[in-house]
Amino acid sequence: MRTLRALATLALLGAAGCTSAPSSAFNAPIVGTWDYAATQESPTAASIIGTLKVDDQSNGNFTGSLSITLTPSGGGSPVTSTGPLTGQSVSATAVEFDACLDACTVPWTHLGQISGDSLVGRWAQAQPGGASGTFRAHRTAP
């Protein structure tokens, strides 16, 4: 049930697509370069590795990029994607961001919690049958 609520929240947040976020009173500590690792749980299992970079943050809003390589669990060729991200701080330690990979037909909406140099959370594509899963990242540079 908790997973369904998290995915429903992600779906609502992602409905706006790759648009700029409203200003926030918070500036969660997201700026930097992060090693990104994720699992895709549905519609098919896959592992994802990459780099999350947040270059700029102001009034709670931030921008950057996400570069990933997705490897299907059952075999198959890895797929590499990259694109911009936009997001906002939703509290002093929580962030929400959309990563618009490649053509950005449906952004990957992430909700994450920051603790020191660690970022963990869930991600989903806001469309029927869209992919979803969990992610974690470790900051490697400020």
Side-chain angles (χ1 to χ4, degrees), residues 30-31 53-58 61-64:
I30 187 74
V31 173
K53 293 180 82 175
V54 177
D55 305 313
D56 186 50
Q57 183 178 38
S58 178
N61 299 322
F62 56 88
T63 59

Side-chain angles (χ1 to χ4, degrees), residues 57-80:
Q57 183 178 38
S58 178
N59 298 320
N61 299 322
F62 56 88
T63 59
S65 62
L66 179 62
S67 299
I68 64 159
T69 299
L70 182 145
T71 304
S73 292
S77 299
V79 177
T80 301

Side-chain angles (χ1 to χ4, degrees), residues 3-84:
T3 300
L4 291 176
R5 269 189 245 135
L7 290 176
T9 300
L10 284 171
L12 289 173
L13 289 172
C18 297
T19 60
S20 61
S23 292
S24 168
F26 304 105
N27 271 322
I30 187 74
V31 173
T33 301
W34 303 74
D35 283 339
Y36 177 93
T39 57
Q40 178 175 298
E41 299 165 348
S42 67
T44 59
S47 63
I48 304 163
I49 58 169
T51 302
L52 170 70
K53 293 180 82 175
V54 177
D55 305 313
D56 186 50
Q57 183 178 38
S58 178
N59 298 320
N61 299 322
F62 56 88
T63 59
S65 62
L66 179 62
S67 299
I68 64 159
T69 299
L70 182 145
T71 304
S73 292
S77 299
V79 177
T80 301
S81 300
T82 190

Side-chain angles (χ1 to χ4, degrees), residues 11-20 86 96-100 104-107 109 126:
L12 289 173
L13 289 172
C18 297
T19 60
S20 61
T86 58
E96 175 271 323
F97 60 92
D98 286 339
C100 294
C104 196
T105 54
V106 180
T109 299

